[in-house]
Structures are given as structure tokens and as C-alpha cells.
């Protein structure tokens, strides 16, 4: 049997597939395991403690599968669980194992896209309340004004396949209007939830035409590529058979049906019980 040491890519549900797709396009040589914790999604409205416990459980599962590196391809998990896992849990889980998130790599570059240094963040309630983007962006771009808007209904619209409907328009416009009320001169908006790229067309319809709308996939892929170039020991420990396997904590048939929309091709996932 082939022993693999894949990169683990995690999300509360389907959204991380939008990140995995871009990572694979940039780094096709590696093996990957994707896990969506669909049975317990959405994470965005859950407490810190709950998101931390769920995420930690999934990270342990990835390590049990032989992953040397896990990417939390979920802003909510990155914002609410990553730091505690890195500081408290990782030291007890194996010296050479790593968990990386997507808030920091995005914050490192997002300021470069804004000419007038006014950036809007659209995210889950959990990500907004954590204030992680405001804190991280200011580390790299102290002069940038960051305004945030939580869009709690957007993930369910996507997860339940209602995101193309006329009903979705109401909720999309509502949160964009709220964001623009906070700062009408925003010139860059970050879709800081991995589900939101599916809403991009509709978001664009309600956003002033000159606003740049950023998704994270490519940003995260570039950052991971850079990380692996700088960490050669880690890079060499990842297996390179170009194999990807998909897992969900919920019903696999439902996952396979929905996942294709996010990933762009058919997926044959297996269900796991944590
Ligand atoms: N996809 C997750 C994110 O990037 C949120 C989805 C959820 O609420 O579970 O924040």
C-alpha cells in the first residue's frame, strides 16, 4: 500500500475547496487530503470554544492520516482556533508538524491592492468579531482603514444552493449597503470567507464598479508556495504522487453533489466519523 504524507486542507464545509483548487493549480505535484466538517457547519456563528474544539479534532485527524502540514482553509477557524492550536496543542502533537491559516497570508498582501487605503472586509460573524483581519492588516499596513461587515446569511445561501436565486439578491445587497454605509470610499473589498467566491458575480452587481473584489485562493496558494520554498525540510516531507482524497463528516452523496460547484469537477468523497 502506498504511504502518503499529504498536505491537509480543512474547512467547515465546502468553502475550502475554492482554496484547494487554487493551491493545486499552483502546486500540482503534491498529495492532498481535503476534509469538510459539513456535519457541524456552519462554524461562523459558533463560539470561540466550539470552533476551537471542532477544529482541533479535525487537525488531529489530519495528523493521524500522516499529514505533516495542515492548512485551515477557513477564515473562521483561522481567526478563532489557529493561534490556540499553534501555541497550546501543536507542541504536544509532534515537533515537525505545522498548522497554517489563511488570515495572515491574506493580510500580508491585501493593502497592496488599495490605492486610497480603504478596505472592506466581508466575512462571517465569527471572523468579524474576532477582529483578526483588522489586527493583522494593521501589522503590515498601519495606514489602512479597515471596515468590516458580518454577513451571517451568506454561508447558508451557498451551502443550501440558494445563492443564484432572486432571494439571495436581497441579502447580498443588504450587507454591501451596510458595508458602504460604514465607508463609502472603499476601493478594495476582501471576500474573507471561503464560501463567498461563489457569490462574486452577485456581489459585483451591487458594488460600485471601480471597487476591486478580492478572493483568497490565489493569495493563499502563492503564500504556501513561498512557505514551502523557505521550509525545505517540510517541503521534502510531503509526498508527491499528485493524489487528492476528499472526506466529509456528513453524508457523502450530498457532499459529492454540492462539492462540484465549489471545486469545478466531480468529487468522490468518503464519510468519516470523528
Ligand atoms: N468558510 C468559512 C470561512 O471561510 C465559513 C463557513 C462557516 O460559517 O462554517 O469563514
Amino acid at each position: 500500500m502506498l504511504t502518503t504524507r499529504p498536505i491537509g486542507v480543512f474547512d467547515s464545509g465546502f468553502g475550502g475547496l475554492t482554496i484547494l483548487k487554487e493551491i493545486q493549480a499552483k502546486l500540482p505535484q503534491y498529495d492532498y487530503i481535503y476534509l469538510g466538517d459539513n456535519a457541524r457547519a456552519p462554524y461562523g456563528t459558533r463560539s470561540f470554544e466550539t470552533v476551537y474544539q471542532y477544529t482541533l479534532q479535525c487537525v488531529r485527524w489530519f495528523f493521524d492520516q500522516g499529514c505533516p502540514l495542515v492548512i485551515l482553509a477557513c477564515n473562521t477557524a483561522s481567526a478563532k482556533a489557529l493561534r490556540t492550536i499553534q501555541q497550546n496543542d501543536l507542541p504536544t502533537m509532534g515537533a515537525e508538524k505545522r498548522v497554517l491559516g489563511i488570515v495572515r497570508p491574506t493580510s500580508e498582501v491585501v493593502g497592496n491592492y488599495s490605492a486610497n487605503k480603504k478596505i472592506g472586509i466581508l466575512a462571517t460573524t465569527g471572523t468579524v468579531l474576532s477582529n483578526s483581519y483588522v489586527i493583522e492588516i494593521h501589522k503590515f499596513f498601519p495606514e489602512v482603514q479597515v471596515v468590516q461587515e458580518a454577513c451571517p446569511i451568506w454561508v447558508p445561501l451557498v451551502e443550501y444552493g440558494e445563492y443564484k436565486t432572486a432571494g439571495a439578491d436581497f441579502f447580498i445587497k443588504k450587507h454591501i449597503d451596510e458595508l458602504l454605509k460604514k465607508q463609502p470610499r472603499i476601493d478594495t473589498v476582501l471576500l474573507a470567507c471561503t464560501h463567498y467566491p461563489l457569490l462574486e458575480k452577485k456581489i459585483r452587481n451591487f458594488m460600485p464598479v471601480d471597487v476591486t473584489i478580492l478572493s483568497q485562493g490565489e493569495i493563499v496558494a502563492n503564500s504556501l508556495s513561498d512557505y514551502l520554498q523557505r521550509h525545505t525540510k517540510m517541503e521534502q516531507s510531503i509526498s508527491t504522487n499528485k493524489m487528492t482524497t476528499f472526506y466529509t463528516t456528513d453524508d457523502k452523496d450530498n457532499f459529492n453533489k454540492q462539492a462540484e460547484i465549489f471545486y469545478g469537477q466531480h468529487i468522490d468523497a468518503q464519510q468519516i466519523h470523528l
Side-chain angles (χ1 to χ4, degrees):
M1 207 181 116
L2 188 66
T3 310
T4 59
R5 289 178 56 78
I7 297 175
V9 178
F10 171 71
D11 184 52
S12 59
F14 299 108
L17 291 167
T18 62
I19 303 281
L20 174 64
K21 202 167 56 177
E22 298 296 335
I23 293 178
Q24 286 177 308
K26 177 91 187 172
L27 303 165
Q29 67 272 39
Y30 300 120
D31 295 332
Y32 297 93
I33 289 189
Y34 183 86
L35 173 64
D37 191 7
N38 299 76
R40 302 186 293 195
Y43 278 18
T45 44
R46 296 193 191 275
S47 70
F48 270 83
E49 183 58 26
T50 303
V51 172
Y52 162 63
Q53 291 297 346
Y54 286 178
T55 307
L56 178 61
Q57 209 180 3
C58 293
V59 166
R60 287 192 199 282
W61 178 85
F62 277 113
F63 287 161
D64 289 344
Q65 310 310 304
C67 297
L69 174 66
V70 177
I71 312 294
L72 302 183
C74 172
N75 289 279
T76 310
S78 300
K80 296 175 94 166
L82 179 65
R83 186 178 293 260
T84 316
I85 291 175
Q86 284 176 334
Q87 289 177 353
N88 294 0
D89 302 292
L90 212 50
T92 67
M93 293 160 98
E96 63 302 325
K97 299 207 183 291
R98 291 288 176 271
V99 183
L100 303 175
I102 59 174
V103 172
R104 194 179 171 98
T106 308
S107 301
E108 271 175 22
V109 298
V110 69
N112 296 330
Y113 291 87
S114 172
N116 71 4
K117 303 298 169 205
K118 297 190 189 334
I119 293 178
I121 305 288
L122 296 167
T124 65
T125 307
T127 300
V128 167
L129 289 180
S130 76
N131 227 21
S132 297
Y133 270 105
V134 178
I135 296 165
E136 290 297 325
I137 291 172
H138 282 153
K139 283 184 191 160
F140 301 100
F141 304 97
E143 73 287 11
V144 164
Q145 185 194 3
V146 184
V147 289
Q148 307 189 88
E149 170 69 8
C151 316
I153 200 99
W154 286 14
V155 167
L157 283 176
V158 173
E159 290 272 323
Y160 293 109
E162 295 289 341
Y163 65 100
K164 284 187 181 161
T165 63
D169 287 16
F170 172 83
F171 290 105
I172 292 170
K173 182 172 183 319
K174 174 182 164 172
H175 289 298
I176 290 172
D177 289 350
E178 288 300 323
L179 181 75
L180 292 170
K181 242 188 252 167
K182 291 170 192 168
Q183 175 46 271
R185 291 182 52 236
I186 289 162
D187 72 352
T188 304
V189 165
L190 176 66
L191 305 185
C193 171
T194 53
H195 283 64
Y196 296 176
L198 270 83
L199 300 171
E200 188 171 339
K201 251 196 203 146
K202 281 196 185 275
I203 294 171
R204 209 167 276 285
N205 286 344
F206 299 115
M207 199 68 87
V209 281
D210 50 349
V211 171
T212 302
I213 299 172
L214 287 178
S215 293
Q216 296 172 282
E218 224 180 295
I219 293 172
V220 173
N222 288 338
S223 165
L224 178 59
S225 167
D226 183 56
Y227 173 86
L228 293 173
Q229 274 171 33
R230 286 182 287 110
H231 296 82
T232 46
K233 214 170 145 203
M234 172 60 79
E235 197 281 328
Q236 282 157 15
S237 74
I238 301 164
S239 53
T240 52
N241 308 294
K242 302 182 179 176
M243 270 174 46
T244 303
T245 43
F246 298 89
Y247 297 88
T248 173
T249 53
D250 208 348
D251 179 66
K252 72 178 167 58
D253 294 331
N254 187 40
F255 181 87
N256 292 341
K257 218 182 322 155
Q258 291 256 70
E260 200 168 331
I261 304 166
F262 291 79
Y263 192 57
Q265 37 176 303
H266 178 70
I267 283 174
D268 197 6
Q270 299 164 51
Q271 183 175 7
I272 58 154
H273 300 278
L274 291 170

